[in-house]
Amino acid sequence: IFLHICSFLDGSTLVHALSLVCERFYLILKDANSLWKARINHMWPDASWLLCPARPDKRSWMLSYVAIKQQTALWKQQESRKKRLFIKKMPADEIDAVLLMHVNGISHVVCTSKRDLLYKKLPSRKILSHKIKNFARIKFAHDTCIEEMTAIDNTIYSCGADNTVKSWELTNTGLLWKSTYNLQRSDRLDSILCCISSCPKSNLFATGSSCGTVYVFDSRSRNNPIKHYRPCPRVVINLAMNTQYIVSANEDKTVSVWDQRAGRVIKSTTIPGEALGTCMNMRRDWVFIGDRDAKLHILNLNNDFELVKSYSTEHTDMITGVRLTHECLITSSRDGTVRISSLTDPPQPIATLCSEMRYIFE
């Protein structure tokens, strides 16, 4: 009878109000997975289970339902106000990579354009318009093109075709060079650094090269790589890492998992289809990989490191970026759209945001 009464109330009221009335109400609602599954299934009849629950415990379905409702309302609202989500006019240069940073409560956007770094302090949300211009610029930050960036706290790490990784401290007054990490001379002859990823919890970052080697650095030192390994004989296209594993998407269409503690590659899996993996993102034990055919592949690190699912998306061109949040999946594409989807099997569309630019890069 109690659960029947609950079926008439919204999820936020049940979780944040009714479940706090007494211990009995809390226990009933916490264990009523069928109630939350039914609500999610009512929203998306074709979704069978959660890919990444909000929390890996008994309350996961309840919290996931509330998160889904909140995200759906948020993105549907923003979908009708698209211009506020995109920089309509960027500098005349081609933008290759973008980072959104937060320092002392202030947001900054950092971009790369060939060999230059550009950065800008964002205005407050109340006065944020659809145009952001007058970027500050560090010219010739690298000797050759900057390939990618990552960040640990307020420090940005950029890798370039000049085979160096440079660190930059973002302050309220600007972007300051800190140090340069060089590869050993023998490692620099016939390769370039193509991608970079970081794990703030362990203060480590890793960069992949065109010769198939991945170099691991300790951000607390300014020395050469602390270790390196070679997951494939060809280009390392993208990297994702946590405290235990480094996952690489390689040009030979494989996804390799390297165990940092064991110091070896423990699994290499081939991506199905003909397309290369172009981007990926890791959350807990899940790795989401986007490819050139606008498909999404999911690797479960707890399931013998196997690719457990592959999905076709509504993108019409290569997926250029994928991000997992606690509540939703965000993908960008060269078709000029950003799609927000649910973390269900299969992912269900929540909102689509369109850019006035032709391409959207990660």
Side-chain angles (χ1 to χ4, degrees):
I1 293 174
F2 176 75
L3 289 177
H4 180 69
I5 294 172
C6 290
S7 66
F8 295 97
L9 303 175
D10 66 272
S12 182
T13 300
L14 296 179
V15 174
H16 301 299
L18 195 59
S19 67
L20 305 179
V21 169
C22 64
E23 183 179 0
R24 180 62 174 163
F25 283 7
Y26 170 80
L27 293 175
I28 292 176
L29 291 173
K30 183 189 73 169
D31 296 330
N33 279 345
S34 58
L35 171 68
W36 308 110
K37 289 180 182 179
R39 288 186 175 227
I40 294 176
N41 188 253
H42 179 73
M43 297 170 58
W44 295 307
D46 297 329
S48 57
W49 51 282
L50 294 172
L51 294 173
C52 291
R55 274 174 47 177
D57 57 24
K58 289 185 178 181
R59 300 187 70 202
S60 63
W61 282 96
M62 176 172 66
L63 296 180
S64 294
Y65 171 78
V66 174
I68 287 171
K69 294 290 288 185
Q70 291 174 342
Q71 288 297 301
T72 301
L74 170 67
W75 288 108
K76 287 296 183 183
Q77 179 186 22
Q78 297 296 340
E79 191 176 24
S80 62
R81 297 157 60 186
K82 297 171 189 173
K83 288 185 178 180
R84 292 194 60 179
L85 297 177
F86 291 94
I87 300 173
K88 182 179 179 182
K89 183 177 179 62
M90 292 293 288
D93 316 75
E94 180 180 343
I95 301 301
D96 301 310
V98 178
L99 278 180
L100 182 63
M101 304 282 292
H102 302 281
V103 178
N104 298 326
I106 300 175
S107 298
H108 301 73
V109 60
V110 182
C111 314
T112 67
S113 177
K114 298 181 181 178
R115 292 184 288 176
D116 300 347
L117 280 174
L118 300 89
Y119 59 96
K120 171 79 174 177
K121 184 187 300 183
L122 295 180
S124 66
R125 186 176 301 179
K126 293 182 180 179
I127 61 174
L128 181 60
S129 68
H130 63 276
K131 290 185 179 181
I132 301 177
K133 50 187 178 180
N134 299 326
F135 279 68
R137 179 188 295 263
I138 298 178
K139 291 187 176 182
F140 308 116
H142 282 256
D143 294 336
T144 56
C145 289
I146 302 172
E147 298 294 331
E148 198 173 6
M149 299 182 295
T150 189
I152 298 178
D153 299 326
N154 65 330
T155 302
I156 296 168
Y157 299 88
S158 59
C159 68
D162 56 1
N163 270 299
T164 64
V165 176
K166 294 188 177 183
S167 62
W168 312 84
E169 184 177 1
L170 182 63
T171 67
N172 288 334
T173 59
L175 200 59
L176 306 176
W177 173 84
K178 289 180 63 178
S179 61
T180 299
Y181 300 80
N182 292 293
L183 301 184
Q184 297 177 1
R185 187 175 180 83
S186 60
D187 295 330
R188 302 180 60 182
L189 297 179
D190 300 314
S191 67
I192 64 173
L193 297 181
C194 305
C195 55
I196 191 168
S197 183
S198 61
C199 178
K201 287 185 178 180
S202 59
N203 292 297
L204 298 178
F205 63 90
T207 181
S209 70
S210 60
C211 68
T213 303
V214 174
Y215 303 93
V216 184
F217 296 84
D218 190 329
S219 65
R220 294 163 294 187
S221 67
R222 300 183 181 182
N223 299 322
N224 291 330
I226 59 174
K227 58 186 73 172
H228 68 274
Y229 68 100
R230 198 176 189 192
C232 77
R234 303 175 67 177
V235 179
V236 177
I237 298 174
N238 213 290
L239 291 172
M241 63 186 298
N242 58 20
T243 56
Q244 188 171 358
Y245 302 112
I246 299 177
V247 184
S248 64
N250 313 310
E251 195 182 35
D252 61 1
K253 291 180 54 184
T254 62
V255 176
S256 301
V257 181
W258 190 65
D259 191 317
Q260 298 191 61
R261 298 173 185 172
R264 63 185 179 89
V265 175
I266 56 177
K267 186 75 174 184
S268 287
T269 304
T270 301
I271 297 177
E274 301 297 325
L276 296 175
T278 55
C279 56
M280 63 181 172
N281 192 225
M282 179 189 296
R283 178 173 170 235
R284 290 205 299 265
D285 301 317
W286 298 84
V287 181
F288 282 57
I289 306 160
D291 70 15
R292 290 183 182 272
D293 285 344
K295 291 185 178 179
L296 195 65
H297 311 279
I298 302 175
L299 179 75
N300 188 344
L301 300 181
N302 276 339
N303 187 22
D304 197 27
F305 310 97
E306 293 290 341
L307 282 167
V308 294
K309 290 285 181 178
S310 292
Y311 301 102
S312 295
T313 67
E314 295 184 0
H315 289 295
T316 58
D317 206 337
M318 179 179 80
I319 296 177
T320 57
V322 56
R323 282 292 180 268
L324 293 167
T325 72
H326 293 291
E327 302 90 4
C328 60
L329 167 69
I330 303 174
T331 55
S332 62
S333 172
R334 212 163 55 176
D335 63 8
T337 64
V338 174
R339 296 184 181 273
I340 295 87
S341 307
S342 65
L343 287 172
T344 55
D345 177 29
Q348 301 293 318
I350 294 176
T352 300
L353 308 174
C354 299
S355 171
E356 297 181 10
M357 296 176 286
R358 183 179 178 185
Y359 297 145
I360 293 180
F361 297 95
E362 183 179 12

